[in-house]
Coordinates of all heavy atoms in Angstrom, one line a residue:
S1 N 143.4 219.3 263.4 CA 143.7 220.4 264.3 C 142.6 221.5 264.1 O 142.1 221.6 263.0 CB 145.1 221.1 264.1 OG 145.2 221.5 262.7
N2 N 142.3 222.2 265.2 CA 141.6 223.5 265.2 C 142.6 224.5 265.8 O 143.0 224.3 267.0 CB 140.4 223.4 266.0 CG 139.1 222.9 265.2 OD1 137.9 223.0 265.7 ND2 139.5 222.4 264.0
L3 N 142.9 225.5 265.1 CA 144.0 226.4 265.4 C 143.5 227.9 265.5 O 142.5 228.2 264.9 CB 145.3 226.3 264.6 CG 145.8 224.8 264.5 CD1 146.9 224.7 263.4 CD2 146.4 224.5 265.9
F4 N 144.3 228.7 266.2 CA 143.9 230.2 266.3 C 145.2 230.9 265.9 O 146.2 230.7 266.5 CB 143.4 230.5 267.7 CG 142.9 231.9 267.7 CD1 141.6 232.3 267.1 CD2 143.4 232.8 268.6 CE1 141.1 233.5 267.2 CE2 142.9 234.1 268.7 CZ 141.7 234.4 268.0
Y5 N 145.1 231.9 265.0 CA 146.2 232.7 264.6 C 146.1 234.1 264.9 O 145.0 234.6 264.7 CB 146.5 232.5 263.1 CG 147.6 233.2 262.5 CD1 148.9 232.7 262.8 CD2 147.5 234.4 261.7 CE1 150.0 233.4 262.1 CE2 148.6 235.1 261.2 CZ 149.8 234.5 261.5 OH 151.0 235.2 260.9
V6 N 147.0 234.7 265.5 CA 147.0 236.2 265.9 C 148.2 236.9 265.1 O 149.2 236.4 265.1 CB 147.2 236.3 267.4 CG1 147.4 237.8 267.8 CG2 146.1 235.6 268.3
Y7 N 147.7 238.0 264.5 CA 148.6 238.8 263.7 C 148.4 240.3 263.9 O 147.3 240.7 264.4 CB 148.5 238.5 262.2 CG 147.2 238.8 261.6 CD1 147.1 240.1 260.9 CD2 146.1 238.1 261.7 CE1 145.9 240.4 260.3 CE2 144.9 238.5 261.1 CZ 144.8 239.7 260.5 OH 143.6 240.2 259.9
G8 N 149.3 241.1 263.4 CA 149.2 242.6 263.5 C 150.3 243.1 264.3 O 151.3 242.5 264.7
T9 N 150.2 244.5 264.5 CA 151.3 245.3 265.3 C 150.6 245.8 266.5 O 149.7 246.7 266.3 CB 151.9 246.3 264.4 OG1 152.4 245.7 263.3 CG2 153.0 247.0 265.2
P10 N 150.9 245.4 267.7 CA 150.3 246.0 268.9 C 150.7 247.5 269.2 O 151.7 247.8 268.8 CB 150.7 245.0 270.1 CG 152.0 244.6 269.5 CD 152.0 244.4 268.1
D11 N 149.8 248.2 269.8 CA 150.1 249.5 270.2 C 151.1 249.4 271.4 O 151.1 248.6 272.3 CB 148.8 250.3 270.8 CG 149.1 251.6 271.1 OD1 149.1 252.4 270.4 OD2 149.3 251.8 272.4
A12 N 152.1 250.3 271.4 CA 153.2 250.4 272.3 C 152.7 250.6 273.7 O 153.3 250.1 274.7 CB 154.2 251.3 272.0
E13 N 151.7 251.3 273.9 CA 151.1 251.7 275.3 C 150.1 250.8 275.7 O 150.2 250.3 276.9 CB 150.5 253.1 275.1 CG 151.5 254.2 274.6 CD 152.7 254.4 275.5 OE1 152.6 254.1 276.8 OE2 153.8 254.7 275.1
T14 N 149.1 250.4 274.9 CA 148.0 249.6 275.3 C 148.1 248.0 275.1 O 147.5 247.2 275.7 CB 146.7 250.0 274.7 OG1 146.8 249.9 273.3 CG2 146.5 251.6 275.0
G15 N 149.0 247.7 274.1 CA 149.1 246.3 273.7 C 148.0 245.9 272.7 O 147.9 244.7 272.4
L16 N 147.0 246.8 272.4 CA 145.9 246.5 271.5 C 146.3 246.6 270.1 O 147.4 247.1 269.8 CB 144.7 247.5 271.8 CG 144.2 247.4 273.3 CD1 143.1 248.4 273.4 CD2 143.7 246.0 273.7
G17 N 145.4 246.1 269.1 CA 145.8 246.3 267.7 C 145.9 245.0 267.0 O 146.2 245.0 265.9
L18 N 145.9 243.8 267.7 CA 146.0 242.5 267.1 C 144.7 242.0 266.8 O 143.7 242.3 267.3 CB 146.7 241.6 268.1 CG 148.2 241.9 268.5 CD1 148.7 241.0 269.6 CD2 149.1 242.0 267.3
T19 N 144.7 241.1 265.7 CA 143.5 240.5 265.2 C 143.8 238.9 265.2 O 144.9 238.5 264.9 CB 143.2 240.9 263.8 OG1 143.0 242.3 263.8 CG2 141.9 240.3 263.3
G20 N 142.7 238.2 265.4 CA 142.8 236.8 265.3 C 141.8 236.1 264.4 O 140.7 236.7 264.1
Y21 N 142.1 234.9 263.9 CA 141.2 234.1 263.1 C 141.5 232.6 263.3 O 142.6 232.3 263.8 CB 141.2 234.5 261.7 CG 142.4 234.2 260.8 CD1 142.5 233.0 260.2 CD2 143.4 235.0 260.7 CE1 143.6 232.6 259.5 CE2 144.6 234.8 260.0 CZ 144.7 233.6 259.3 OH 145.7 233.2 258.6
A22 N 140.6 231.8 263.0 CA 140.7 230.3 263.3 C 140.8 229.5 262.0 O 140.3 230.0 261.0 CB 139.4 229.9 264.1
S23 N 141.2 228.4 262.1 CA 141.4 227.4 261.1 C 141.2 226.0 261.5 O 141.7 225.6 262.5 CB 142.8 227.6 260.3 OG 143.0 226.6 259.3
D24 N 140.6 225.1 260.7 CA 140.6 223.7 260.9 C 141.6 223.1 259.8 O 141.4 223.3 258.7 CB 139.2 223.2 260.6 CG 139.2 221.7 260.7 OD1 139.8 220.9 259.9 OD2 138.5 221.2 261.7
Y25 N 142.6 222.4 260.3 CA 143.6 221.8 259.4 C 143.6 220.4 259.4 O 143.8 219.8 260.6 CB 145.0 222.5 259.7 CG 146.2 221.9 258.9 CD1 146.2 222.4 257.6 CD2 147.1 221.0 259.4 CE1 147.3 222.0 256.7 CE2 148.1 220.6 258.6 CZ 148.2 221.1 257.3 OH 149.2 220.6 256.4
Q26 N 143.6 219.7 258.3 CA 143.7 218.3 258.2 C 144.8 217.8 257.3 O 145.0 218.5 256.2 CB 142.3 217.7 257.7 CG 141.1 218.1 258.5 CD 141.1 217.4 259.8 OE1 141.4 216.4 260.0 NE2 140.5 218.3 260.8
L27 N 145.5 216.8 257.6 CA 146.7 216.4 256.8 C 146.6 214.8 256.8 O 146.4 214.1 257.7 CB 148.0 216.9 257.3 CG 149.2 216.4 256.6 CD1 150.2 217.6 256.4 CD2 149.9 215.2 257.2
R28 N 146.9 214.3 255.6 CA 147.1 212.9 255.4 C 148.4 212.8 254.6 O 148.4 213.2 253.4 CB 146.0 212.1 254.7 CG 144.6 212.2 255.4 CD 144.6 211.5 256.8 NE 143.3 211.7 257.5 CZ 143.0 212.7 258.3 NH1 144.0 213.7 258.6 NH2 141.9 212.8 258.8
D29 N 149.4 212.0 255.0 CA 150.6 211.9 254.3 C 151.0 210.4 254.3 O 151.2 209.8 255.4 CB 151.8 212.7 255.1 CG 153.0 212.8 254.4 OD1 153.1 212.2 253.3 OD2 153.9 213.5 254.9
R30 N 151.3 209.8 253.2 CA 151.6 208.4 253.0 C 152.8 208.2 252.1 O 152.9 208.8 251.0 CB 150.3 207.7 252.4 CG 150.5 206.2 252.3 CD 150.9 205.7 250.8 NE 149.9 206.2 249.9 CZ 150.1 206.5 248.6 NH1 151.3 206.4 248.1 NH2 149.2 206.9 247.8
V31 N 153.7 207.4 252.6 CA 154.9 207.1 251.8 C 155.3 205.6 251.9 O 155.1 204.9 252.9 CB 156.2 207.9 252.5 CG1 157.4 207.6 251.8 CG2 155.9 209.3 252.7
N32 N 155.5 205.1 250.7 CA 155.9 203.7 250.6 C 157.4 203.8 250.0 O 157.7 204.4 249.0 CB 155.1 202.9 249.6 CG 153.7 202.7 250.1 OD1 153.6 202.1 251.2 ND2 152.7 203.1 249.4
L33 N 158.3 203.0 250.6 CA 159.8 203.0 250.3 C 160.2 201.6 250.0 O 159.9 200.7 250.9 CB 160.5 203.8 251.3 CG 160.2 205.1 251.8 CD1 160.9 205.4 253.1 CD2 160.4 206.2 250.7
L34 N 160.9 201.4 249.1 CA 161.6 200.1 248.7 C 163.0 200.4 248.3 O 163.3 201.2 247.4 CB 160.8 199.3 247.7 CG 161.5 198.0 247.3 CD1 161.6 197.1 248.4 CD2 160.9 197.4 246.1
D35 N 164.0 199.8 249.0 CA 165.4 199.8 248.7 C 166.1 198.6 248.7 O 165.9 197.7 249.7 CB 166.1 200.8 249.7 CG 167.5 201.1 249.4 OD1 167.8 201.3 248.3 OD2 168.3 201.2 250.4
V36 N 166.7 198.2 247.6 CA 167.4 196.9 247.5 C 168.9 197.2 247.0 O 169.0 197.9 246.0 CB 166.7 195.9 246.5 CG1 167.4 194.6 246.3 CG2 165.2 195.8 246.8
Y37 N 169.8 196.6 247.8 CA 171.1 196.8 247.3 C 172.1 195.6 247.7 O 171.7 194.9 248.7 CB 171.8 198.1 247.8 CG 171.8 198.2 249.3 CD1 173.1 198.0 250.0 CD2 170.7 198.5 250.1 CE1 173.2 197.9 251.4 CE2 170.9 198.7 251.5 CZ 172.1 198.4 252.1 OH 172.2 198.5 253.5
A38 N 173.1 195.5 247.0 CA 174.2 194.5 247.4 C 175.5 195.2 247.7 O 175.8 196.3 247.1 CB 174.4 193.6 246.2
R39 N 176.2 194.6 248.6 CA 177.5 195.2 249.0 C 178.5 194.0 249.3 O 178.1 193.0 249.7 CB 177.3 196.1 250.1 CG 176.8 195.4 251.4 CD 176.6 196.5 252.5 NE 176.0 195.8 253.8 CZ 175.4 196.5 254.7 NH1 175.4 197.7 254.6 NH2 175.0 195.8 255.8
G40 N 179.7 194.4 249.1 CA 180.7 193.4 249.5 C 182.1 193.9 249.1 O 182.4 195.0 249.0
S41 N 182.9 193.0 248.9 CA 184.4 193.3 248.5 C 184.9 192.5 247.4 O 184.5 191.4 247.1 CB 185.3 193.2 249.8 OG 185.3 191.8 250.2

């Protein structure tokens, strides 16, 4: 992703006063799952 974040408190009359900055975000998520069970009566 390339993202843009806006923060701050805008002026009640003009709506100005906010600031923005950008970010490049990368993620890698890997999961290995193993489940073994017995069931019965």
Side-chain angles (χ1 to χ4, degrees):
S1 61
N2 273 191
L3 303 170
F4 189 68
Y5 182 74
V6 175
Y7 68 98
T9 304
D11 183 82
E13 304 299 330
T14 65
L16 303 178
L18 298 175
T19 302
Y21 68 90
S23 173
D24 178 296
Y25 180 71
Q26 307 288 327
L27 176 142
R28 304 290 182 270
D29 189 359
R30 182 259 300 152
V31 180
N32 289 307
L33 306 171
L34 175 64
D35 186 36
V36 181
Y37 63 98
R39 62 184 176 193
S41 67

